[in-house]
Amino acid sequence: MPGSPTNAVGAIRFVGPPFEYHYAVPQSPELREIYLRVREADLLRYLPELQAIDGVFALPRRLRYVTAECGESGAFYRPADADVVLCYETLRTLYERGQHHQRFLGSDDDHPLRYVRANVRFIVLHETGHALVDLLDLPVTGRQEDAVDQLAAILMLHFADHDETTEQVTGNLRLAANWMLSDSTGAYDLHAYADEHALAEQRFFNLQCLIYGTDPARFASIIDAGDLTAARARGCVRETQRLERAWLHLLLPHVASEHAMSEAEALHYLRQRNTRPAPGPLPTPKIP
Ligand SMILES: [Zn+2]
């Protein structure tokens, strides 16, 4: 169909432009092995949540996912190019942190890679949130950093691979919560309080609340383990449902016409996905 996507109410929207993926060659020899591994695995293209939302939104331009050498650890959205950039240095740091976590837990040898993959999913989806806010001109009141943490968690809870169990899905989110704490000193200065991000511990507890809020009976152990206070937990179901509906409200008007659905249909679809049925015939992913 001719024409470009438009956000005008009532206008015809076409399928969104597909995401693009690029693995930039690093200059530093010590990052070359990481580069070769992620390029070989085509890491970004096979993140299940990105696959689920690819082409779903009527974006005004293509969104590209890039791995690159940055000179420091990090990940960011670059509005001028509509690029989400994940730094090789971050992948290296994540692997080291995963090794440390493995030793701490005494877990299996594959733990560091699981740690990397879980966090790459969360980080890339967080940056995708920044990209959607920019490209779709979404309104955000309050901290954008909190809002896109919420979107990343919601996407991971609903759009993980169908063969991943609920425990694996929430386990991945809890590894992301662990990574949030990696910068924490427990003692903050003025810069930390003034930062655009919430304190690491607050991001950690917000994420635990979102996990708990999906199924309090199933995740009661989160409170027992001290990862969520009983007082905060009381409001987590309502909080989780409110955040899901808020993101639906924001995103549904931008869903490309061939994926269009009402809010009721979308909520029903999300709830269905959250039950994580046994492998079998699956519905086509349609909405974020
Ligand atoms: Zn951010």
Side-chain angles (χ1 to χ4, degrees), residues 201-249:
E201 288 81 357
Q202 291 176 303
R203 295 180 76 192
F204 174 90
F205 287 121
N206 287 342
L207 196 43
Q208 303 293 349
C209 181
L210 258 169
I211 297 169
Y212 179 84
T214 60
D215 192 341
R218 189 169 199 156
F219 300 117
S221 63
I222 291 179
I223 301 175
D224 301 336
D227 290 339
L228 189 64
T229 62
R232 173 74 184 271
R234 277 196 285 279
C236 287
V237 170
R238 204 175 49 207
E239 196 174 327
T240 300
Q241 291 177 353
R242 188 170 44 77
L243 296 177
E244 280 177 358
R245 289 197 61 202
W247 271 105
L248 275 182
H249 268 289

Side-chain angles (χ1 to χ4, degrees), residues 22-214:
H22 176 62
Y23 304 97
V25 181
Q27 296 296 314
S28 304
E30 65 269 22
L31 296 174
R32 189 162 173 81
E33 193 190 329
I34 297 174
Y35 153 70
L36 290 173
R37 277 179 168 233
V38 298
R39 193 190 65 173
E40 166 79 17
D42 206 349
L43 173 78
L44 298 169
R45 189 185 307 275
Y46 290 102
L47 298 181
E49 296 85 0
L50 282 194
Q51 287 192 330
I53 63 169
D54 191 359
V56 166
F57 301 109
L59 299 175
R61 58 192 293 202
R62 71 94 181 97
L63 178 57
R64 188 172 71 150
Y65 292 86
V66 180
T67 56
E69 178 174 1
C70 306
E72 59 182 344
S73 195
F76 51 91
Y77 168 64
R78 193 160 47 202
D81 306 312
D83 279 347
V84 165
V85 181
L86 175 65
C87 306
Y88 292 123
E89 292 90 338
T90 301
L91 292 166
R92 183 173 56 191
T93 309
L94 280 170
Y95 190 77
E96 289 164 1
R97 174 84 185 175
Q99 286 176 312
H100 179 79
H101 198 230
Q102 176 196 13
R103 285 193 292 274
F104 178 76
L105 295 177
S107 49
D108 301 339
D109 287 349
D110 64 351
H111 187 84
L113 279 178
R114 233 178 26 240
Y115 192 93
V116 172
R117 193 171 158 77
N119 276 289
V120 164
R121 286 160 79 168
F122 190 87
I123 291 166
V124 166
L125 293 170
H126 172 106
E127 298 307 329
T128 300
H130 285 306
L132 292 177
V133 167
D134 174 55
L135 293 170
L136 300 175
D137 196 20
L138 302 178
V140 179
T141 68
R143 288 183 212 252
Q144 190 179 131
E145 294 301 333
D146 286 345
V148 299
D149 270 355
Q150 293 154 9
L151 178 67
I154 291 167
L155 289 173
M156 282 179 74
L157 285 166
H158 295 294
F159 292 97
D161 270 336
H162 262 286
D163 59 2
E164 288 182 285
T165 65
T166 300
E167 279 64 31
Q168 284 171 321
V169 170
T170 50
N172 286 334
L173 276 172
R174 300 194 79 191
L175 292 179
N178 177 277
W179 170 248
M180 285 173 182
L181 288 182
S182 62
D183 285 337
S184 168
T185 59
Y188 292 105
D189 60 12
L190 206 55
H191 290 288
Y193 288 121
D195 197 77
E196 59 194 347
H197 297 87
L199 302 179
E201 288 81 357
Q202 291 176 303
R203 295 180 76 192
F204 174 90
F205 287 121
N206 287 342
L207 196 43
Q208 303 293 349
C209 181
L210 258 169
I211 297 169
Y212 179 84
T214 60

Side-chain angles (χ1 to χ4, degrees), residues 267-288:
L267 273 172
H268 177 71
Y269 180 71
L270 285 185
R271 297 280 128 73
Q272 230 185 1
R273 284 199 63 103
N274 214 25
T275 58
R276 308 214 62 76
L282 304 173
T284 312
K286 281 188 172 176
I287 56 153

